[in-house]
Amino acid sequence: MHTSIADILKQNQLSVTGSRTKILELFQQTGGALAHADIELKTGEQFDRVTIYRTLQTFVEKGIIHTIPTADNSVLYALCKDQCSEGHHHDNHIHFICDDCGTTYCLEQVAIPEVRLPNGFTKKQTDVVVSGLCNKCS
Amino acid sequence: MHTSIADILKQNQLSVTGSRTKILELFQQTGGALAHADIELKTGEQFDRVTIYRTLQTFVEKGIIHTIPTADNSVLYALCKDQCSEGHHHDNHIHFICDDCGTTYCLEQVAIPEVRLPNGFTKKQTDVVVSGLCNKCS
DNA sequence: GTAACTGCAAAATATTTGCATCCTT
DNA sequence: AAGGATGCAAATATTTTGCAGTTAC
């Protein structure tokens, strides 16, 4: 069973408001990643652009969502999957961007491969972004 | 021996101009990745902001440089290493961003690990961005 | 009731486009 | 000389900030 949206917010000491609930819902429904513009559109533009910026920023700070690096330099956000299993934090999964439909997937089932760095370099986080065709477009 | 900057430009059907030469030089000297702002600063702001935008865009189109995905959503560019070995194009190397000094390194010596995708997904390109502390900051 | 959140306005940044001039070939 | 490249001005787009009004707890 999963944690309700309101619970996620409360667990992070955030008040339960319309925009936050709606935006989190949107992430849960989508499953994948969303850009700022997607959110504006898909919420029916009922929220101020600024509110969306601030909401996303808050979510990132609290670790509810994270940003995804993309080769085309757009800004994408996705749910941190372990938001439900509170405590442990390891969003170490691969992101896949479809060149055709543009959808971004968080491939939870694909583990991040180990990377060996040269001497003197310390690894904190590894982001892997794979692009190509998704299962719907190929 | 390596190809001169002027030759790189000529090979790509570009006229050899001050801004292009200076910016390519900067990339060669730096070795690592540069943001638009870095270029403005390090060239001593002798070129128009617009010229830099257009130069970078041209270089990306010609495959002389490429963009690097970053988790903090800034725009970074780096030389495509095989610009000299014309033909084959596989900038498959890892990018490392130092959390402390902010420098981005292209770790040519570290191979991109193989990633196995779920059925139906086709891989075209893999980008790996590792963050942490570099050998100067640790 | 109080602190936190939102929306509006506006400022600050970043990026793109048009056009006249200058430089490379 | 001709075409491409640059610089300036200005149009767009994006993101941030301040503040007053509203909402959650």
Side-chain angles (χ1 to χ4, degrees), chain A residues 69-76 97, chain B residues 67 69:
Chain A
T70 65
D72 71 332
N73 302 304
S74 54
V75 188
L76 289 178
I97 304 181
Chain B
T67 58

mmCIF file of all heavy atoms in Angstrom, chain A residues 69-76 97, chain B residues 67 69:
data_model
loop_
_atom_site.group_PDB
_atom_site.id
_atom_site.type_symbol
_atom_site.label_atom_id
_atom_site.label_comp_id
_atom_site.label_asym_id
_atom_site.label_seq_id
_atom_site.Cartn_x
_atom_site.Cartn_y
_atom_site.Cartn_z
ATOM 1 N N PRO A 69 19.300 15.442 -15.254
ATOM 2 C CA PRO A 69 20.142 16.117 -16.232
ATOM 3 C C PRO A 69 19.732 15.649 -17.623
ATOM 4 O O PRO A 69 19.538 14.462 -17.846
ATOM 5 C CB PRO A 69 21.549 15.632 -15.907
ATOM 6 C CG PRO A 69 21.380 14.400 -15.106
ATOM 7 C CD PRO A 69 20.000 14.367 -14.552
ATOM 8 N N THR A 70 19.590 16.558 -18.540
ATOM 9 C CA THR A 70 19.251 16.170 -19.903
ATOM 10 C C THR A 70 20.241 16.777 -20.873
ATOM 11 O O THR A 70 20.746 17.878 -20.653
ATOM 12 C CB THR A 70 17.847 16.648 -20.306
ATOM 13 O OG1 THR A 70 17.849 18.067 -20.333
ATOM 14 C CG2 THR A 70 16.820 16.161 -19.327
ATOM 15 N N ALA A 71 20.485 16.060 -21.948
ATOM 16 C CA ALA A 71 21.491 16.499 -22.905
ATOM 17 C C ALA A 71 21.058 17.772 -23.624
ATOM 18 O O ALA A 71 21.881 18.544 -24.082
ATOM 19 C CB ALA A 71 21.767 15.393 -23.916
ATOM 20 N N ASP A 72 19.778 17.989 -23.724
ATOM 21 C CA ASP A 72 19.331 19.181 -24.440
ATOM 22 C C ASP A 72 19.103 20.352 -23.495
ATOM 23 O O ASP A 72 18.499 21.346 -23.862
ATOM 24 C CB ASP A 72 18.078 18.887 -25.254
ATOM 25 C CG ASP A 72 16.886 18.680 -24.344
ATOM 26 O OD1 ASP A 72 17.088 18.243 -23.201
ATOM 27 O OD2 ASP A 72 15.759 18.978 -24.775
ATOM 28 N N ASN A 73 19.561 20.206 -22.266
ATOM 29 C CA ASN A 73 19.554 21.313 -21.326
ATOM 30 C C ASN A 73 18.192 21.844 -20.931
ATOM 31 O O ASN A 73 18.061 22.989 -20.540
ATOM 32 C CB ASN A 73 20.389 22.471 -21.865
ATOM 33 C CG ASN A 73 21.780 22.025 -22.114
ATOM 34 O OD1 ASN A 73 22.445 21.527 -21.226
ATOM 35 N ND2 ASN A 73 22.215 22.148 -23.350
ATOM 36 N N SER A 74 17.196 21.016 -21.024
ATOM 37 C CA SER A 74 15.915 21.432 -20.470
ATOM 38 C C SER A 74 15.896 20.976 -19.011
ATOM 39 O O SER A 74 16.748 20.209 -18.583
ATOM 40 C CB SER A 74 14.778 20.793 -21.247
ATOM 41 O OG SER A 74 14.943 19.401 -21.283
ATOM 42 N N VAL A 75 14.927 21.458 -18.282
ATOM 43 C CA VAL A 75 14.859 21.143 -16.862
ATOM 44 C C VAL A 75 13.759 20.124 -16.612
ATOM 45 O O VAL A 75 12.600 20.387 -16.875
ATOM 46 C CB VAL A 75 14.551 22.405 -16.047
ATOM 47 C CG1 VAL A 75 14.680 22.098 -14.564
ATOM 48 C CG2 VAL A 75 15.465 23.527 -16.446
ATOM 49 N N LEU A 76 14.134 18.957 -16.123
ATOM 50 C CA LEU A 76 13.130 17.938 -15.840
ATOM 51 C C LEU A 76 13.148 17.558 -14.369
ATOM 52 O O LEU A 76 14.186 17.544 -13.729
ATOM 53 C CB LEU A 76 13.393 16.678 -16.673
ATOM 54 C CG LEU A 76 13.125 16.774 -18.172
ATOM 55 C CD1 LEU A 76 13.469 15.468 -18.836
ATOM 56 C CD2 LEU A 76 11.678 17.142 -18.419
ATOM 57 N N ILE A 97 15.281 8.869 -22.103
ATOM 58 C CA ILE A 97 14.524 9.864 -22.848
ATOM 59 C C ILE A 97 14.296 9.370 -24.261
ATOM 60 O O ILE A 97 15.246 9.021 -24.970
ATOM 61 C CB ILE A 97 15.264 11.213 -22.905
ATOM 62 C CG1 ILE A 97 15.558 11.695 -21.493
ATOM 63 C CG2 ILE A 97 14.450 12.236 -23.673
ATOM 64 C CD1 ILE A 97 16.262 13.019 -21.441
ATOM 65 N N THR B 67 27.025 19.302 -25.937
ATOM 66 C CA THR B 67 26.507 19.776 -24.663
ATOM 67 C C THR B 67 26.587 18.649 -23.648
ATOM 68 O O THR B 67 26.566 17.483 -24.005
ATOM 69 C CB THR B 67 25.049 20.242 -24.782
ATOM 70 O OG1 THR B 67 24.270 19.147 -25.263
ATOM 71 C CG2 THR B 67 24.926 21.395 -25.741
ATOM 72 N N PRO B 69 24.874 17.095 -20.167
ATOM 73 C CA PRO B 69 23.730 17.201 -19.270
ATOM 74 C C PRO B 69 24.210 17.405 -17.851
ATOM 75 O O PRO B 69 25.141 16.730 -17.415
ATOM 76 C CB PRO B 69 23.043 15.838 -19.409
ATOM 77 C CG PRO B 69 24.072 14.921 -19.954
ATOM 78 C CD PRO B 69 25.150 15.732 -20.591
#
